[in-house]
Amino acid sequence: MILQQSDHQATRREFIGATAAAVTSGSALTGQTAAGGEIPRRPFGNTGVQVSIIGVGGFHLGSAQDLNAARTIVDTALDAGINFFDNAWEYHGGRSEEWLGEAMKQKRDRAFLMTKVCTHGRSRSVAMRMLEESLKRLQTDHLDLWQIHEVIYDNDPDLIFKTDGAADALVQAKKEGKVRFVGFTGHKDPSIHLKMLAQGFAFDAVQMPLNCFDANFRSFEMEVLPELNRRGVAVLGMKSMGGSGEMIRHGAVTAAEALSYAMSLPVAVTISGMDSLGVLKQNLETARGFQPLSPAEMQHLRDRCHFDASDGRWELFKTTKKYDGDLGRQEHGFPTAAELPA
């Protein structure tokens, strides 16, 4: 159900208070403490699995200089204590999965491996074919998490839950032991996430944008995060720095502030794009021995970003087509981003 404005404002105030209490007590972030320079871990929802509070984004891994550079990023991340690795069938035409698979040789048991299926409304059979291709590229016989990618259009929930749709593929893959957990991702509008959740499907995880700007505009933090926490679903945060660092480049916040805010929320993991060893090391400086920001520090960042966040100008994944994949637009019958008017 979409909240009316008056209800939303009340819910927003209540959630800020609830989040503050959770951060203060540590109840929502159980397992996050780590000694010295270790990367803390948190529960992956109600699954009993623990994951690192920061994860390596698959798209940016495929943007690394070459395979050797990608392998170095993966090796350094694993050695530092990061165990969560994101990916998707369509990233760089499969290169992201292939590079991660090469980098994970002999190390698969050290990683929580996730990739996404990119049916964009197509059938279960297409999804299962993609799963086999992903498993081959990643050089593994199973995934820890398989998610429906880019649920961003109003009709996506209907397409996903149609007979023999992608939701049926999630059930089949889990039953066959090819995936341990299932979920969905999206970056466009909280109402679409809520429509997915209203289907009553037993998702283990949900991925969405969470950053210090989001709280003030079409907020996943205020509208979706509380419901996922209530259900015990693992929350995967993404776009902590705006997708391509827009909020950092414009000087609104520093990279450390943005990442700290995202990791201080009651989430299992914050997935960050790291296409070089330098970016990984910068993120590790924030993540090692991480302690959540105080409620006052969290609110200060929300307030500081309020004006710049109010029209979505630096959350382009919500307000433009810049982050909408061409394959998804094609399958929905829309022109590609490049074909749209400037």
Side-chain angles (χ1 to χ4, degrees), residues 21 43 50 56 105 151 169 191 194 200 252 257 259 261 269 281-282 293 315:
Q50 295 270 327
V56 175
K105 281 183 177 179
V151 181
S191 67
L194 293 174
E257 286 175 326
L259 188 57
Y261 181 93
V269 58
K281 289 181 175 178
Q282 175 181 273
L293 299 179
E315 288 190 286

Side-chain angles (χ1 to χ4, degrees), residues 43-222:
F44 190 72
N46 289 336
T47 66
V49 174
Q50 295 270 327
V51 293
S52 53
I53 63 170
I54 187 169
V56 175
F59 182 85
H60 285 79
L61 185 68
S63 303
Q65 184 174 2
D66 52 31
L67 172 58
N68 286 334
R71 186 181 285 117
T72 299
I73 292 169
V74 171
D75 288 345
T76 304
L78 284 169
D79 290 343
I82 295 176
N83 73 338
F84 192 102
F85 291 84
D86 158 272
N87 224 299
W89 176 89
E90 68 184 57
Y91 285 165
H92 297 286
R95 184 175 71 213
S96 289
E97 288 186 332
E98 290 168 355
W99 282 6
L100 183 56
E102 284 294 319
M104 281 291 173
K105 281 183 177 179
Q106 313 303 320
K107 303 165 189 171
R108 173 67 181 89
D109 60 340
R110 297 174 61 189
F112 186 99
L113 195 58
M114 177 265 278
T115 198
K116 311 180 197 85
V117 62
C118 306
T119 49
H120 301 295
R122 287 173 287 176
S123 67
R124 167 168 46 180
S125 62
V126 174
M128 296 305 293
R129 172 179 59 79
M130 289 180 172
L131 175 59
E132 295 303 325
E133 291 171 355
S134 290
L135 291 172
K136 182 177 180 180
R137 292 169 180 168
L138 291 165
Q139 301 187 40
T140 185
D141 63 354
H142 76 281
L143 299 172
D144 294 294
L145 175 62
W146 194 39
Q147 299 197 102
I148 300 172
H149 184 45
E150 206 174 64
V151 181
I152 61 173
Y153 301 103
D154 287 338
N155 66 339
D156 275 338
D158 297 327
L159 294 172
I160 288 164
F161 285 98
K162 68 183 180 182
T163 302
D164 256 359
D168 287 340
L170 298 187
V171 174
Q172 179 181 342
K174 203 171 183 180
K175 183 177 180 180
E176 292 178 358
K178 294 179 179 178
V179 305
R180 297 173 67 195
F181 310 117
V182 296
F184 73 92
T185 81
H187 58 252
K188 188 62 66 179
D189 194 306
S191 67
I192 300 174
H193 272 55
L194 293 174
K195 187 175 179 182
M196 286 288 289
L197 295 174
Q199 304 295 323
F201 189 88
F203 290 111
D204 300 298
V206 173
Q207 185 170 335
M208 58 190 185
L210 290 168
N211 58 64
C212 50
F213 275 51
D214 168 79
N216 292 299
F217 182 81
R218 290 186 200 164
S219 181
F220 288 86
E221 176 184 342
M222 301 301 167

Side-chain angles (χ1 to χ4, degrees), residues 221-244:
E221 176 184 342
M222 301 301 167
E223 297 187 37
V224 185
L225 182 57
E227 178 62 17
L228 296 176
N229 286 164
R230 185 186 71 79
R231 297 184 184 205
V233 175
V235 181
L236 284 57
M238 63 176 172
K239 302 192 185 325
S240 60
M241 302 184 195
S244 297

Side-chain angles (χ1 to χ4, degrees), residues 249-310:
R249 292 201 308 272
H250 288 277
V253 291
T254 67
E257 286 175 326
L259 188 57
S260 293
Y261 181 93
M263 293 193 303
S264 295
L265 293 169
V267 303
V269 58
T270 297
I271 299 167
S272 184
M274 298 179 254
D275 57 5
S276 70
L277 195 58
V279 175
L280 169 60
K281 289 181 175 178
Q282 175 181 273
N283 287 347
L284 287 174
E285 289 179 6
T286 303
R288 283 192 172 107
F290 179 73
Q291 294 294 324
L293 299 179
S294 70
E297 289 170 326
M298 296 284 281
Q299 190 57 48
H300 174 71
L301 277 172
R302 292 186 193 103
D303 293 343
R304 204 173 92 195
C305 297
H306 183 274
F307 178 76
D308 288 334
S310 61

